Structures are given as C-alpha cells and as structure tokens.
Amino acid sequence: MKQWRSVLACFLLAGGMMLLITRPAYAGRWSQAGNNRYDSDGDGTMTTGWVQDGNHWYFMRGDGAMATGWIKDGEKDYYLSASGAMLSNTTTPDGYFVGESGEWIPSSEATSGVDTTNLAVSAGSYSVNHVDADCAIEADVSVSGSGGSVAKLVIFGSTAAMSFDLVTDSTAQGTYFYRENIHSNAVGGQDYSRVDQYPKAELGKTYHLMIAFRRDGQGTVYLNGELLDTFWNPEMTKFPHFDPAVEAGAMVNGSTVQAVFSNITVKKGDRISSTGWHTKNMDNNPGIHSDVSQFPSHGVIRIGGTLQLRHGENWDTAYDGTSGKIYFQ
C-alpha cells in the first residue's frame, strides 16, 4: 500500500507540473501601480510588447504599463479597449474598422478578406470604386445632439448641390435619412425628398452613406451599400468641376451637434482616394467647429459644437451659417 501511495504521489506531482506548464503564460500575473497595470513573466521580469491572457491580447509599453486606445506597432495601428484588450473584427468606438488580427483597415480594403457579418457598418455591394459616377463621396456617419442636428455628405456645384443626410430632431420623426436636391441656392430652389421614403434611422448608430453624381445630371444615394434613391439635377451639369464635402450643423439657436465621419473615400473623375485629399475648412458658424487632425492618418473628421445665431435668425433664414463644413480638393 505504501508503495502505491508513493506512485500516486509521484503521479500527482507530475500532473501538477503538467498543469503548471500548460497554464496560459500570463494568467494571474497582473499587478497594479497607481493608474497603470503591469504584467510580469515567471521569474518576475516585467514584460513589454504583446502578451496574451486567455482569449485576449494586450500591449505593454516600453515602461511595462498596459496600453489603451490607439497604438502603432510597426506600420500597423491597433485599438485597445479601456480594459486593455485588443479589439478585432469590429468597429472601434471612434468609428474605424479593425480586422481579424486587430489592425486598422482603411475603407478601400474594409471588405477585402474581412468577415463583416457582425459589423455595425458594411460597405455592401456599392462603393465609390464600383459606382458609375463622375463624382462621389462615401463615409461611415453618426450624429447626435439636442434640439435638432444633421450630418451630411454633399456634392457642390457653383450654385447648386445635392446631399444625403442623417438627421435628428425633436419632432415625432426622430432620427431619419434625408436627401437634398438643390437646383439653386435662391429661395424656392430647393427640392427635398419626403422623409417617409427612406428607412427609419437610430440616434447614435453608425451608417455607411454614399452620394454619387454623373455628368448627365443623375444623382444617386446609397445606404449601407445598397441603392436607395435616384434623382436628377440638370443644373449641376453646367459646372466644370464639383467639390465633395462633409458637413454637420444644428437647427435652432443653442442646439448642439456631434458628428463623426470615418472611412471617408472620395472620387473625382478618375481619382479615388481615402486620405490623400487637400481639405478646405468652410465652417460658417462661430459655435460649430471641424476637426481634421485625424484625417491624414485615419480618414476621420469630427464636426461639433453649439449653434450660435443672432436674434431673429433661424435654420431657414441663416441656412448658410449654421454648420461646419470640410471640402475635399
């Protein structure tokens, strides 16, 4: 009996060693110092770079502190959540696609080899790369605010324009999509689509919008990669060039807007580019500002603020002074 106990003890010891060896290398090795979280290997040495704990990957900076938010590793960008876990095959809180391995994927590559089944936004079957148009702009768009706000993709001619809008207001209509077909900037020149033509939208949700224009006067709008509407603007055919833009604004004095445009891609003639355009700031209200600081690196533009109007002005009378606007040239 004593001999069997010895054999059993040896077996349990060996089994315990096997369990120790096969345990995830970093499980249970986290430590906290102030606001920073650290990891160490088996001999107590602080780790740096990528580490795995269970099904999640974390990145430890050069000083050993766990990273959060955006990081650059080599030539690739990754997003780490507030807990430090790397996001993958999803959309980040600020509107970027990250692939299966966690790396940021530009809009032009977002549907190439990536499973987009569970993404909130998908480029679908149409993009600026696959649409018959002389000018087009697409982006992932979200809008929030109080008192009435709008985020839109626009194609401008000299005195005419067309846009595809994501609108939220305080009426029973709530949040919805809207198409503007402006034959003239003069009073009475605007031709708006009926709101109930389009699907219902949700406040704060990100949608993939695209508007395209053909030189024969045809305009088209697309929602999440699907054709939504076709319309005509013959006045637009008179202009030698067009300026695509992103725009966001508010409706009444004191109302607010926060709009995010990400994965922006623009087509002008034969040129298609995500981040290679010169941006021209056309903000026209002192309370609403455009931020293009992340456009060259990540293709993101934010427009937000509180509408400031003079006494007696409103959305209609001060139409050209209620928004932040960025042209692509």
Side-chain angles (χ1 to χ4, degrees):
M1 180 66 71
K2 186 175 181 180
Q3 181 179 2
W4 281 108
R5 288 176 180 171
S6 299
V7 171
L8 180 60
C10 291
F11 176 78
L12 291 174
L13 178 62
M17 291 178 67
M18 288 299 294
L19 288 174
L20 181 62
I21 292 171
T22 57
R23 188 181 67 179
Y26 302 99
R29 302 197 180 269
W30 298 105
S31 61
Q32 190 82 23
N35 293 325
N36 294 323
R37 196 180 183 196
Y38 299 87
D39 177 54
S40 58
D41 60 19
D43 63 3
T45 303
M46 189 177 295
T47 56
T48 59
W50 290 105
V51 299
Q52 185 177 14
D53 187 356
N55 294 324
H56 298 292
W57 283 93
Y58 301 82
F59 189 84
M60 318 308 291
R61 301 188 185 277
D63 61 357
M66 184 185 72
T68 59
W70 284 103
I71 65 163
K72 180 176 284 292
D73 184 28
E75 296 299 318
K76 296 182 178 180
D77 297 284
Y78 300 85
Y79 188 89
L80 309 171
S81 68
S83 70
M86 182 192 76
L87 299 188
S88 63
N89 200 27
T90 189
T91 302
T92 65
D94 50 354
Y96 305 117
F97 286 124
V98 286
E100 190 69 31
S101 300
E103 76 279 6
W104 168 61
I105 300 178
S107 175
S108 60
E109 305 170 18
T111 56
S112 176
V114 179
D115 180 8
T116 59
T117 303
N118 297 317
L119 293 179
V121 178
S122 173
S125 55
Y126 285 96
S127 71
V128 297
N129 297 281
H130 306 109
V131 70
D132 178 18
D134 295 285
C135 185
I137 178 171
E138 66 178 330
D140 299 333
V141 183
S142 67
V143 65
S144 60
S146 62
S149 53
V150 58
K152 60 177 72 177
L153 306 182
V154 192
I155 298 177
F156 287 96
S158 296
T159 57
M162 55 181 62
S163 71
F164 189 23
D165 309 358
L166 179 57
V167 184
T168 178
D169 64 30
S170 56
T171 70
Q173 293 171 332
T175 304
Y176 50 90
F177 302 103
Y178 205 56
R179 185 259 291 163
E180 297 179 80
N181 190 20
I182 302 172
H183 299 276
S184 169
N185 287 330
V187 176
Q190 292 87 359
D191 168 30
Y192 303 108
S193 67
R194 291 170 52 197
V195 173
D196 58 8
Q197 286 181 229
Y198 298 155
K200 184 69 176 175
E202 297 179 30
L203 180 65
K205 185 175 180 179
T206 301
Y207 296 92
H208 191 85
L209 307 185
M210 180 170 71
I211 185 167
F213 172 72
R214 218 168 55 188
R215 282 196 174 275
D216 63 0
Q218 177 182 278
T220 45
V221 292
Y222 303 79
L223 174 62
N224 291 338
E226 300 299 328
L227 177 64
L228 190 63
D229 194 9
T230 299
F231 55 99
W232 296 88
N233 190 327
E235 285 77 11
M236 291 279 287
T237 66
K238 303 173 183 178
F239 309 124
H241 69 275
F242 309 96
D243 290 315
V246 295
E247 182 178 1
M251 297 182 181
V252 296
N253 189 45
S255 59
T256 64
V257 60
Q258 293 294 331
V260 179
F261 303 87
S262 57
N263 291 311
I264 301 166
T265 306
V266 172
K267 177 179 182 180
K268 294 180 71 172
D270 295 329
R271 183 187 175 193
I272 298 174
S273 179
S274 296
T275 58
W277 299 97
H278 171 69
T279 57
K280 182 179 181 180
N281 187 301
M282 297 293 288
D283 292 354
N284 54 37
N285 187 272
I288 299 177
H289 305 284
S290 299
D291 178 4
V292 299
S293 60
Q294 287 189 310
F295 178 72
S297 60
H298 288 87
V300 173
I301 291 174
R302 292 177 172 82
I303 303 176
T306 301
L307 186 66
Q308 298 179 19
L309 294 179
R310 292 186 294 269
H311 180 71
E313 288 184 328
N314 58 43
W315 170 263
D316 294 316
T317 60
Y319 174 76
D320 201 30
T322 59
S323 67
K325 191 183 308 179
I326 297 294
Y327 283 52
F328 301 97
Q329 297 178 328

PDB file of all heavy atoms in Angstrom, residues 148-150 152 247-253 255 257 282-288 303 306-309 313-325:
ATOM      1  N   GLY A 148     -32.084  69.365 -32.492  1.00  0.00           N
ATOM      2  CA  GLY A 148     -32.085  69.247 -33.946  1.00  0.00           C
ATOM      3  C   GLY A 148     -30.697  69.364 -34.530  1.00  0.00           C
ATOM      4  O   GLY A 148     -30.026  70.390 -34.375  1.00  0.00           O
ATOM      5  N   SER A 149     -30.214  68.319 -35.221  1.00  0.00           N
ATOM      6  CA  SER A 149     -28.867  68.340 -35.808  1.00  0.00           C
ATOM      7  C   SER A 149     -28.843  67.456 -37.035  1.00  0.00           C
ATOM      8  O   SER A 149     -29.711  66.596 -37.237  1.00  0.00           O
ATOM      9  CB  SER A 149     -27.831  67.868 -34.783  1.00  0.00           C
ATOM     10  OG  SER A 149     -28.190  66.610 -34.235  1.00  0.00           O
ATOM     11  N   VAL A 150     -27.827  67.660 -37.866  1.00  0.00           N
ATOM     12  CA  VAL A 150     -27.732  66.927 -39.121  1.00  0.00           C
ATOM     13  C   VAL A 150     -26.268  66.698 -39.472  1.00  0.00           C
ATOM     14  O   VAL A 150     -25.410  67.554 -39.232  1.00  0.00           O
ATOM     15  CB  VAL A 150     -28.449  67.690 -40.265  1.00  0.00           C
ATOM     16  CG1 VAL A 150     -27.853  69.081 -40.448  1.00  0.00           C
ATOM     17  CG2 VAL A 150     -28.382  66.916 -41.574  1.00  0.00           C
ATOM     18  N   LYS A 152     -24.118  65.278 -43.010  1.00  0.00           N
ATOM     19  CA  LYS A 152     -24.429  65.014 -44.409  1.00  0.00           C
ATOM     20  C   LYS A 152     -23.175  64.878 -45.264  1.00  0.00           C
ATOM     21  O   LYS A 152     -22.121  65.423 -44.959  1.00  0.00           O
ATOM     22  CB  LYS A 152     -25.312  66.126 -44.978  1.00  0.00           C
ATOM     23  CG  LYS A 152     -24.695  67.522 -44.926  1.00  0.00           C
ATOM     24  CD  LYS A 152     -25.601  68.584 -45.572  1.00  0.00           C
ATOM     25  CE  LYS A 152     -26.804  68.891 -44.743  1.00  0.00           C
ATOM     26  NZ  LYS A 152     -27.644  69.975 -45.341  1.00  0.00           N
ATOM     27  N   GLU A 247     -20.428  67.698 -43.991  1.00  0.00           N
ATOM     28  CA  GLU A 247     -20.995  68.868 -43.331  1.00  0.00           C
ATOM     29  C   GLU A 247     -21.847  68.417 -42.158  1.00  0.00           C
ATOM     30  O   GLU A 247     -22.484  67.360 -42.199  1.00  0.00           O
ATOM     31  CB  GLU A 247     -21.848  69.669 -44.321  1.00  0.00           C
ATOM     32  CG  GLU A 247     -22.460  70.939 -43.749  1.00  0.00           C
ATOM     33  CD  GLU A 247     -23.258  71.717 -44.788  1.00  0.00           C
ATOM     34  OE1 GLU A 247     -23.354  71.256 -45.946  1.00  0.00           O
ATOM     35  OE2 GLU A 247     -23.800  72.787 -44.430  1.00  0.00           O
ATOM     36  N   ALA A 248     -21.855  69.194 -41.090  1.00  0.00           N
ATOM     37  CA  ALA A 248     -22.731  68.926 -39.953  1.00  0.00           C
ATOM     38  C   ALA A 248     -23.180  70.249 -39.361  1.00  0.00           C
ATOM     39  O   ALA A 248     -22.411  71.209 -39.301  1.00  0.00           O
ATOM     40  CB  ALA A 248     -22.025  68.087 -38.892  1.00  0.00           C
ATOM     41  N   GLY A 249     -24.446  70.300 -38.931  1.00  0.00           N
ATOM     42  CA  GLY A 249     -24.968  71.549 -38.396  1.00  0.00           C
ATOM     43  C   GLY A 249     -26.090  71.308 -37.418  1.00  0.00           C
ATOM     44  O   GLY A 249     -26.503  70.174 -37.162  1.00  0.00           O
ATOM     45  N   ALA A 250     -26.586  72.407 -36.850  1.00  0.00           N
ATOM     46  CA  ALA A 250     -27.698  72.373 -35.913  1.00  0.00           C
ATOM     47  C   ALA A 250     -28.810  73.267 -36.428  1.00  0.00           C
ATOM     48  O   ALA A 250     -28.616  74.044 -37.362  1.00  0.00           O
ATOM     49  CB  ALA A 250     -27.232  72.808 -34.532  1.00  0.00           C
ATOM     50  N   MET A 251     -30.003  73.167 -35.805  1.00  0.00           N
ATOM     51  CA  MET A 251     -31.192  73.768 -36.397  1.00  0.00           C
ATOM     52  C   MET A 251     -31.689  75.023 -35.715  1.00  0.00           C
ATOM     53  O   MET A 251     -32.228  75.918 -36.377  1.00  0.00           O
ATOM     54  CB  MET A 251     -32.315  72.728 -36.432  1.00  0.00           C
ATOM     55  CG  MET A 251     -32.005  71.533 -37.308  1.00  0.00           C
ATOM     56  SD  MET A 251     -33.368  70.361 -37.367  1.00  0.00           S
ATOM     57  CE  MET A 251     -32.652  69.096 -38.437  1.00  0.00           C
ATOM     58  N   VAL A 252     -31.567  75.116 -34.414  1.00  0.00           N
ATOM     59  CA  VAL A 252     -32.069  76.295 -33.700  1.00  0.00           C
ATOM     60  C   VAL A 252     -30.979  76.809 -32.772  1.00  0.00           C
ATOM     61  O   VAL A 252     -30.079  76.061 -32.374  1.00  0.00           O
ATOM     62  CB  VAL A 252     -33.347  75.981 -32.898  1.00  0.00           C
ATOM     63  CG1 VAL A 252     -34.476  75.583 -33.817  1.00  0.00           C
ATOM     64  CG2 VAL A 252     -33.097  74.898 -31.863  1.00  0.00           C
ATOM     65  N   ASN A 253     -31.060  78.074 -32.435  1.00  0.00           N
ATOM     66  CA  ASN A 253     -30.050  78.669 -31.571  1.00  0.00           C
ATOM     67  C   ASN A 253     -29.927  77.889 -30.264  1.00  0.00           C
ATOM     68  O   ASN A 253     -30.916  77.597 -29.592  1.00  0.00           O
ATOM     69  CB  ASN A 253     -30.421  80.118 -31.267  1.00  0.00           C
ATOM     70  CG  ASN A 253     -29.314  80.852 -30.547  1.00  0.00           C
ATOM     71  OD1 ASN A 253     -28.150  80.743 -30.933  1.00  0.00           O
ATOM     72  ND2 ASN A 253     -29.663  81.604 -29.514  1.00  0.00           N
ATOM     73  N   SER A 255     -28.950  74.744 -30.030  1.00  0.00           N
ATOM     74  CA  SER A 255     -28.949  73.303 -30.254  1.00  0.00           C
ATOM     75  C   SER A 255     -27.530  72.826 -30.542  1.00  0.00           C
ATOM     76  O   SER A 255     -26.662  73.600 -30.969  1.00  0.00           O
ATOM     77  CB  SER A 255     -29.903  72.916 -31.380  1.00  0.00           C
ATOM     78  OG  SER A 255     -29.552  73.558 -32.593  1.00  0.00           O
ATOM     79  N   VAL A 257     -24.633  69.676 -31.934  1.00  0.00           N
ATOM     80  CA  VAL A 257     -24.390  68.589 -32.874  1.00  0.00           C
ATOM     81  C   VAL A 257     -23.020  67.981 -32.583  1.00  0.00           C
ATOM     82  O   VAL A 257     -22.069  68.697 -32.244  1.00  0.00           O
ATOM     83  CB  VAL A 257     -24.453  69.079 -34.341  1.00  0.00           C
ATOM     84  CG1 VAL A 257     -23.413  70.156 -34.622  1.00  0.00           C
ATOM     85  CG2 VAL A 257     -24.282  67.913 -35.308  1.00  0.00           C
ATOM     86  N   MET A 282     -14.584  75.147 -44.353  1.00  0.00           N
ATOM     87  CA  MET A 282     -15.611  76.125 -44.723  1.00  0.00           C
ATOM     88  C   MET A 282     -16.624  76.292 -43.592  1.00  0.00           C
ATOM     89  O   MET A 282     -17.813  76.534 -43.825  1.00  0.00           O
ATOM     90  CB  MET A 282     -16.307  75.677 -46.016  1.00  0.00           C
ATOM     91  CG  MET A 282     -15.385  75.617 -47.221  1.00  0.00           C
ATOM     92  SD  MET A 282     -14.799  77.243 -47.744  1.00  0.00           S
ATOM     93  CE  MET A 282     -16.293  77.923 -48.456  1.00  0.00           C
ATOM     94  N   ASP A 283     -16.170  76.145 -42.336  1.00  0.00           N
ATOM     95  CA  ASP A 283     -17.052  76.352 -41.191  1.00  0.00           C
ATOM     96  C   ASP A 283     -17.666  77.749 -41.270  1.00  0.00           C
ATOM     97  O   ASP A 283     -16.965  78.728 -41.554  1.00  0.00           O
ATOM     98  CB  ASP A 283     -16.277  76.219 -39.882  1.00  0.00           C
ATOM     99  CG  ASP A 283     -15.807  74.797 -39.613  1.00  0.00           C
ATOM    100  OD1 ASP A 283     -16.177  73.897 -40.391  1.00  0.00           O
ATOM    101  OD2 ASP A 283     -15.074  74.588 -38.636  1.00  0.00           O
ATOM    102  N   ASN A 284     -18.958  77.847 -41.000  1.00  0.00           N
ATOM    103  CA  ASN A 284     -19.619  79.149 -41.163  1.00  0.00           C
ATOM    104  C   ASN A 284     -20.445  79.571 -39.949  1.00  0.00           C
ATOM    105  O   ASN A 284     -21.262  80.486 -40.053  1.00  0.00           O
ATOM    106  CB  ASN A 284     -20.497  79.156 -42.418  1.00  0.00           C
ATOM    107  CG  ASN A 284     -21.493  78.014 -42.448  1.00  0.00           C
ATOM    108  OD1 ASN A 284     -22.052  77.630 -41.428  1.00  0.00           O
ATOM    109  ND2 ASN A 284     -21.707  77.459 -43.640  1.00  0.00           N
ATOM    110  N   ASN A 285     -20.246  78.909 -38.799  1.00  0.00           N
ATOM    111  CA  ASN A 285     -20.911  79.330 -37.573  1.00  0.00           C
ATOM    112  C   ASN A 285     -19.888  79.356 -36.447  1.00  0.00           C
ATOM    113  O   ASN A 285     -19.099  78.415 -36.313  1.00  0.00           O
ATOM    114  CB  ASN A 285     -22.059  78.391 -37.217  1.00  0.00           C
ATOM    115  CG  ASN A 285     -22.874  78.899 -36.041  1.00  0.00           C
ATOM    116  OD1 ASN A 285     -22.559  78.623 -34.887  1.00  0.00           O
ATOM    117  ND2 ASN A 285     -23.921  79.666 -36.326  1.00  0.00           N
ATOM    118  N   PRO A 286     -19.862  80.399 -35.639  1.00  0.00           N
ATOM    119  CA  PRO A 286     -18.817  80.518 -34.616  1.00  0.00           C
ATOM    120  C   PRO A 286     -18.867  79.443 -33.538  1.00  0.00           C
ATOM    121  O   PRO A 286     -17.878  79.224 -32.834  1.00  0.00           O
ATOM    122  CB  PRO A 286     -19.062  81.908 -34.013  1.00  0.00           C
ATOM    123  CG  PRO A 286     -20.488  82.218 -34.324  1.00  0.00           C
ATOM    124  CD  PRO A 286     -20.755  81.574 -35.647  1.00  0.00           C
ATOM    125  N   GLY A 287     -20.008  78.755 -33.402  1.00  0.00           N
ATOM    126  CA  GLY A 287     -20.116  77.750 -32.352  1.00  0.00           C
ATOM    127  C   GLY A 287     -19.885  76.327 -32.809  1.00  0.00           C
ATOM    128  O   GLY A 287     -19.860  75.401 -31.980  1.00  0.00           O
ATOM    129  N   ILE A 288     -19.708  76.096 -34.116  1.00  0.00           N
ATOM    130  CA  ILE A 288     -19.539  74.746 -34.660  1.00  0.00           C
ATOM    131  C   ILE A 288     -18.200  74.656 -35.370  1.00  0.00           C
ATOM    132  O   ILE A 288     -17.891  75.493 -36.224  1.00  0.00           O
ATOM    133  CB  ILE A 288     -20.698  74.390 -35.603  1.00  0.00           C
ATOM    134  CG1 ILE A 288     -22.016  74.437 -34.834  1.00  0.00           C
ATOM    135  CG2 ILE A 288     -20.497  73.012 -36.226  1.00  0.00           C
ATOM    136  CD1 ILE A 288     -23.239  74.173 -35.683  1.00  0.00           C
ATOM    137  N   ILE A 303     -17.115  66.932 -36.500  1.00  0.00           N
ATOM    138  CA  ILE A 303     -17.699  68.276 -36.532  1.00  0.00           C
ATOM    139  C   ILE A 303     -18.681  68.383 -35.369  1.00  0.00           C
ATOM    140  O   ILE A 303     -19.553  67.528 -35.209  1.00  0.00           O
ATOM    141  CB  ILE A 303     -18.419  68.559 -37.864  1.00  0.00           C
ATOM    142  CG1 ILE A 303     -17.452  68.385 -39.044  1.00  0.00           C
ATOM    143  CG2 ILE A 303     -19.009  69.964 -37.865  1.00  0.00           C
ATOM    144  CD1 ILE A 303     -18.104  68.557 -40.403  1.00  0.00           C
ATOM    145  N   THR A 306     -22.087  74.005 -30.510  1.00  0.00           N
ATOM    146  CA  THR A 306     -23.400  74.562 -30.185  1.00  0.00           C
ATOM    147  C   THR A 306     -23.701  75.723 -31.128  1.00  0.00           C
ATOM    148  O   THR A 306     -22.888  76.642 -31.266  1.00  0.00           O
ATOM    149  CB  THR A 306     -23.425  75.064 -28.728  1.00  0.00           C
ATOM    150  OG1 THR A 306     -23.120  73.970 -27.851  1.00  0.00           O
ATOM    151  CG2 THR A 306     -24.791  75.625 -28.375  1.00  0.00           C
ATOM    152  N   LEU A 307     -24.839  75.666 -31.774  1.00  0.00           N
ATOM    153  CA  LEU A 307     -25.195  76.672 -32.771  1.00  0.00           C
ATOM    154  C   LEU A 307     -25.379  78.043 -32.126  1.00  0.00           C
ATOM    155  O   LEU A 307     -26.068  78.184 -31.117  1.00  0.00           O
ATOM    156  CB  LEU A 307     -26.487  76.261 -33.488  1.00  0.00           C
ATOM    157  CG  LEU A 307     -26.915  77.156 -34.655  1.00  0.00           C
ATOM    158  CD1 LEU A 307     -25.911  77.077 -35.793  1.00  0.00           C
ATOM    159  CD2 LEU A 307     -28.302  76.745 -35.143  1.00  0.00           C
ATOM    160  N   GLN A 308     -24.746  79.042 -32.717  1.00  0.00           N
ATOM    161  CA  GLN A 308     -24.874  80.414 -32.254  1.00  0.00           C
ATOM    162  C   GLN A 308     -25.468  81.264 -33.376  1.00  0.00           C
ATOM    163  O   GLN A 308     -24.841  81.465 -34.410  1.00  0.00           O
ATOM    164  CB  GLN A 308     -23.509  80.979 -31.846  1.00  0.00           C
ATOM    165  CG  GLN A 308     -22.843  80.240 -30.698  1.00  0.00           C
ATOM    166  CD  GLN A 308     -21.482  80.819 -30.364  1.00  0.00           C
ATOM    167  OE1 GLN A 308     -21.165  81.959 -30.716  1.00  0.00           O
ATOM    168  NE2 GLN A 308     -20.661  80.033 -29.669  1.00  0.00           N
ATOM    169  N   LEU A 309     -26.689  81.743 -33.171  1.00  0.00           N
ATOM    170  CA  LEU A 309     -27.349  82.592 -34.152  1.00  0.00           C
ATOM    171  C   LEU A 309     -27.672  83.949 -33.549  1.00  0.00           C
ATOM    172  O   LEU A 309     -27.873  84.072 -32.334  1.00  0.00           O
ATOM    173  CB  LEU A 309     -28.648  81.937 -34.632  1.00  0.00           C
ATOM    174  CG  LEU A 309     -28.518  80.635 -35.428  1.00  0.00           C
ATOM    175  CD1 LEU A 309     -29.896  80.110 -35.799  1.00  0.00           C
ATOM    176  CD2 LEU A 309     -27.671  80.839 -36.677  1.00  0.00           C
ATOM    177  N   GLU A 313     -32.674  85.105 -36.122  1.00  0.00           N
ATOM    178  CA  GLU A 313     -32.259  84.151 -37.144  1.00  0.00           C
ATOM    179  C   GLU A 313     -32.749  82.748 -36.808  1.00  0.00           C
ATOM    180  O   GLU A 313     -32.946  82.407 -35.639  1.00  0.00           O
ATOM    181  CB  GLU A 313     -30.737  84.137 -37.278  1.00  0.00           C
ATOM    182  CG  GLU A 313     -30.144  85.357 -37.941  1.00  0.00           C
ATOM    183  CD  GLU A 313     -28.640  85.218 -38.112  1.00  0.00           C
ATOM    184  OE1 GLU A 313     -27.993  84.566 -37.261  1.00  0.00           O
ATOM    185  OE2 GLU A 313     -28.114  85.771 -39.099  1.00  0.00           O
ATOM    186  N   ASN A 314     -32.902  81.917 -37.848  1.00  0.00           N
ATOM    187  CA  ASN A 314     -33.234  80.514 -37.651  1.00  0.00           C
ATOM    188  C   ASN A 314     -32.591  79.686 -38.753  1.00  0.00           C
ATOM    189  O   ASN A 314     -31.861  80.217 -39.602  1.00  0.00           O
ATOM    190  CB  ASN A 314     -34.758  80.308 -37.614  1.00  0.00           C
ATOM    191  CG  ASN A 314     -35.446  80.807 -38.877  1.00  0.00           C
ATOM    192  OD1 ASN A 314     -34.981  80.581 -39.993  1.00  0.00           O
ATOM    193  ND2 ASN A 314     -36.569  81.505 -38.705  1.00  0.00           N
ATOM    194  N   TRP A 315     -32.861  78.389 -38.737  1.00  0.00           N
ATOM    195  CA  TRP A 315     -32.262  77.450 -39.694  1.00  0.00           C
ATOM    196  C   TRP A 315     -32.495  77.884 -41.134  1.00  0.00           C
ATOM    197  O   TRP A 315     -31.624  77.744 -41.982  1.00  0.00           O
ATOM    198  CB  TRP A 315     -32.850  76.060 -39.426  1.00  0.00           C
ATOM    199  CG  TRP A 315     -32.552  75.006 -40.435  1.00  0.00           C
ATOM    200  CD1 TRP A 315     -33.342  74.616 -41.464  1.00  0.00           C
ATOM    201  CD2 TRP A 315     -31.378  74.181 -40.493  1.00  0.00           C
ATOM    202  NE1 TRP A 315     -32.758  73.600 -42.168  1.00  0.00           N
ATOM    203  CE2 TRP A 315     -31.545  73.310 -41.589  1.00  0.00           C
ATOM    204  CE3 TRP A 315     -30.219  74.087 -39.724  1.00  0.00           C
ATOM    205  CZ2 TRP A 315     -30.582  72.367 -41.934  1.00  0.00           C
ATOM    206  CZ3 TRP A 315     -29.272  73.140 -40.069  1.00  0.00           C
ATOM    207  CH2 TRP A 315     -29.444  72.297 -41.159  1.00  0.00           C
ATOM    208  N   ASP A 316     -33.688  78.411 -41.436  1.00  0.00           N
ATOM    209  CA  ASP A 316     -34.030  78.786 -42.807  1.00  0.00           C
ATOM    210  C   ASP A 316     -33.402  80.117 -43.222  1.00  0.00           C
ATOM    211  O   ASP A 316     -32.822  80.225 -44.308  1.00  0.00           O
ATOM    212  CB  ASP A 316     -35.550  78.851 -42.964  1.00  0.00           C
ATOM    213  CG  ASP A 316     -36.194  77.485 -42.816  1.00  0.00           C
ATOM    214  OD1 ASP A 316     -35.668  76.520 -43.388  1.00  0.00           O
ATOM    215  OD2 ASP A 316     -37.220  77.398 -42.115  1.00  0.00           O
ATOM    216  N   THR A 317     -33.495  81.117 -42.358  1.00  0.00           N
ATOM    217  CA  THR A 317     -33.002  82.442 -42.741  1.00  0.00           C
ATOM    218  C   THR A 317     -31.479  82.521 -42.692  1.00  0.00           C
ATOM    219  O   THR A 317     -30.868  83.325 -43.393  1.00  0.00           O
ATOM    220  CB  THR A 317     -33.582  83.528 -41.830  1.00  0.00           C
ATOM    221  OG1 THR A 317     -33.194  83.273 -40.470  1.00  0.00           O
ATOM    222  CG2 THR A 317     -35.101  83.553 -41.925  1.00  0.00           C
ATOM    223  N   ALA A 318     -30.852  81.671 -41.869  1.00  0.00           N
ATOM    224  CA  ALA A 318     -29.387  81.671 -41.766  1.00  0.00           C
ATOM    225  C   ALA A 318     -28.828  80.348 -42.276  1.00  0.00           C
ATOM    226  O   ALA A 318     -27.847  79.824 -41.751  1.00  0.00           O
ATOM    227  CB  ALA A 318     -28.966  81.900 -40.319  1.00  0.00           C
ATOM    228  N   TYR A 319     -29.454  79.802 -43.313  1.00  0.00           N
ATOM    229  CA  TYR A 319     -29.120  78.458 -43.792  1.00  0.00           C
ATOM    230  C   TYR A 319     -27.626  78.277 -44.049  1.00  0.00           C
ATOM    231  O   TYR A 319     -27.056  77.246 -43.721  1.00  0.00           O
ATOM    232  CB  TYR A 319     -29.907  78.142 -45.066  1.00  0.00           C
ATOM    233  CG  TYR A 319     -29.496  76.835 -45.697  1.00  0.00           C
ATOM    234  CD1 TYR A 319     -29.905  75.632 -45.146  1.00  0.00           C
ATOM    235  CD2 TYR A 319     -28.667  76.813 -46.812  1.00  0.00           C
ATOM    236  CE1 TYR A 319     -29.519  74.427 -45.702  1.00  0.00           C
ATOM    237  CE2 TYR A 319     -28.270  75.612 -47.381  1.00  0.00           C
ATOM    238  CZ  TYR A 319     -28.704  74.418 -46.824  1.00  0.00           C
ATOM    239  OH  TYR A 319     -28.301  73.230 -47.369  1.00  0.00           O
ATOM    240  N   ASP A 320     -27.009  79.278 -44.636  1.00  0.00           N
ATOM    241  CA  ASP A 320     -25.590  79.148 -44.979  1.00  0.00           C
ATOM    242  C   ASP A 320     -24.687  79.573 -43.827  1.00  0.00           C
ATOM    243  O   ASP A 320     -23.502  79.857 -44.038  1.00  0.00           O
ATOM    244  CB  ASP A 320     -25.273  79.984 -46.230  1.00  0.00           C
ATOM    245  CG  ASP A 320     -23.997  79.485 -46.917  1.00  0.00           C
ATOM    246  OD1 ASP A 320     -23.715  78.291 -46.816  1.00  0.00           O
ATOM    247  OD2 ASP A 320     -23.309  80.319 -47.508  1.00  0.00           O
ATOM    248  N   GLY A 321     -25.223  79.601 -42.613  1.00  0.00           N
ATOM    249  CA  GLY A 321     -24.399  79.987 -41.471  1.00  0.00           C
ATOM    250  C   GLY A 321     -24.689  79.141 -40.246  1.00  0.00           C
ATOM    251  O   GLY A 321     -24.642  79.641 -39.118  1.00  0.00           O
ATOM    252  N   THR A 322     -24.981  77.844 -40.466  1.00  0.00           N
ATOM    253  CA  THR A 322     -25.396  77.000 -39.353  1.00  0.00           C
ATOM    254  C   THR A 322     -24.600  75.703 -39.251  1.00  0.00           C
ATOM    255  O   THR A 322     -25.050  74.763 -38.597  1.00  0.00           O
ATOM    256  CB  THR A 322     -26.884  76.646 -39.489  1.00  0.00           C
ATOM    257  OG1 THR A 322     -27.102  75.965 -40.733  1.00  0.00           O
ATOM    258  CG2 THR A 322     -27.750  77.892 -39.414  1.00  0.00           C
ATOM    259  N   SER A 323     -23.409  75.660 -39.876  1.00  0.00           N
ATOM    260  CA  SER A 323     -22.745  74.358 -39.924  1.00  0.00           C
ATOM    261  C   SER A 323     -21.223  74.466 -39.935  1.00  0.00           C
ATOM    262  O   SER A 323     -20.643  75.526 -40.129  1.00  0.00           O
ATOM    263  CB  SER A 323     -23.200  73.593 -41.181  1.00  0.00           C
ATOM    264  OG  SER A 323     -22.735  74.241 -42.353  1.00  0.00           O
ATOM    265  N   GLY A 324     -20.605  73.310 -39.740  1.00  0.00           N
ATOM    266  CA  GLY A 324     -19.183  73.115 -40.012  1.00  0.00           C
ATOM    267  C   GLY A 324     -19.074  72.300 -41.292  1.00  0.00           C
ATOM    268  O   GLY A 324     -19.908  71.425 -41.564  1.00  0.00           O
ATOM    269  N   LYS A 325     -18.078  72.605 -42.099  1.00  0.00           N
ATOM    270  CA  LYS A 325     -18.024  72.022 -43.437  1.00  0.00           C
ATOM    271  C   LYS A 325     -16.579  71.844 -43.888  1.00  0.00           C
ATOM    272  O   LYS A 325     -15.771  72.759 -43.747  1.00  0.00           O
ATOM    273  CB  LYS A 325     -18.780  72.938 -44.407  1.00  0.00           C
ATOM    274  CG  LYS A 325     -19.059  72.397 -45.776  1.00  0.00           C
ATOM    275  CD  LYS A 325     -19.745  73.460 -46.643  1.00  0.00           C
ATOM    276  CE  LYS A 325     -20.968  74.048 -45.966  1.00  0.00           C
ATOM    277  NZ  LYS A 325     -21.614  75.090 -46.814  1.00  0.00           N
TER     278      LYS A 325
END
